[in-house]
Amino acid sequence: MVEFIFTVRDDPPEDGYSLGDLEVLGKSGSVTTRGLERPDQRMMVYPSAAALLSEARLLASRGKGNGRFEGFGSMFVVEFSLQKDRVATRHGKKIIDSTPLSDFLYTIYDSVRTLHGHGVFAIEENRKILNLLEKEIDSFEVWLTSFGIKHEKSNDRRKRF
């Protein structure tokens, strides 16, 4: 199953525009922004996480086709193809994984919740972007419920933070 890991790699204090990395792991490969520094591929992680949620929702709502995620402030791109309830994740020509749609959606959801949880404790000022990310997470959660997708890991994900 594909996995998305956001990390903050910015000098303290953190704010809503903190720079960081995204690592995408799967059965067939992995890709990361870490170490891509000429030009620097770190992204503004909090708005990028919101964009990843939005792209996942758009792709799932269409039921088939392609999607594209590009990190804010970065040229780092990950592409998605949805066919027959499976999402292929790739970076350029490199296939990273093929994941059932429900797993794909909850993997992204869990990753963004983890980043948000980090931000709640790390960001002292300029929390506007973090608050927007929280609203996007809540909206995504409501959408998932209305879309009829259940999370097999836990019925109450909020208890983890």
Side-chain angles (χ1 to χ4, degrees):
M1 177 170 57
V2 71
E3 186 176 358
F4 298 84
I5 303 168
F6 285 98
T7 54
V8 178
R9 188 167 49 109
D10 208 359
D11 292 330
E14 286 186 37
D15 69 15
Y17 297 101
S18 290
L19 297 176
D21 297 292
L22 175 61
E23 184 174 11
V24 184
L25 306 165
K27 293 177 196 165
S28 301
S30 65
V31 64
T32 182
T33 58
R34 186 171 294 281
L36 301 177
E37 296 173 3
R38 299 203 193 269
D40 188 347
Q41 292 302 302
R42 288 180 303 169
M43 62 187 70
M44 289 182 274
V45 291
Y46 297 103
S48 293
L52 182 59
L53 277 178
S54 178
E55 186 58 42
R57 184 190 311 199
L58 285 171
L59 182 65
S61 294
R62 286 193 303 265
K64 64 179 180 177
N66 300 314
R68 182 177 191 273
F69 163 77
E70 182 172 347
F72 275 79
S74 174
M75 295 181 296
F76 183 78
V77 174
V78 178
E79 298 175 317
F80 311 108
S81 297
L82 173 59
Q83 293 180 339
K84 298 181 182 176
D85 202 40
R86 290 192 75 81
V87 179
T89 302
R90 62 185 187 285
H91 176 72
K93 294 182 180 182
K94 181 180 189 176
I95 294 178
I96 298 167
D97 207 306
S98 177
T99 308
L101 177 60
S102 59
D103 292 344
F104 172 79
L105 293 171
Y106 272 107
T107 295
I108 290 172
Y109 174 81
D110 289 342
S111 173
V112 173
R113 292 252 337 137
T114 298
L115 176 65
H116 178 265
H118 167 82
V120 166
F121 295 105
I123 297 175
E124 295 177 15
E125 295 180 18
N126 195 9
R127 293 177 68 98
K128 183 177 180 180
I129 298 298
L130 187 64
N131 294 338
L132 290 172
L133 178 58
E134 184 172 351
K135 287 180 183 177
E136 185 67 28
I137 290 168
D138 290 344
S139 174
F140 192 84
E141 187 174 81
V142 169
W143 173 81
L144 280 172
T145 302
S146 69
F147 201 66
I149 297 177
K150 304 281 189 229
H151 193 310
E152 67 274 351
K153 289 182 183 177
S154 168
N155 289 332
D156 187 4
R157 292 165 301 285
R158 292 184 187 267
K159 288 184 181 177
R160 297 188 307 166
F161 300 105

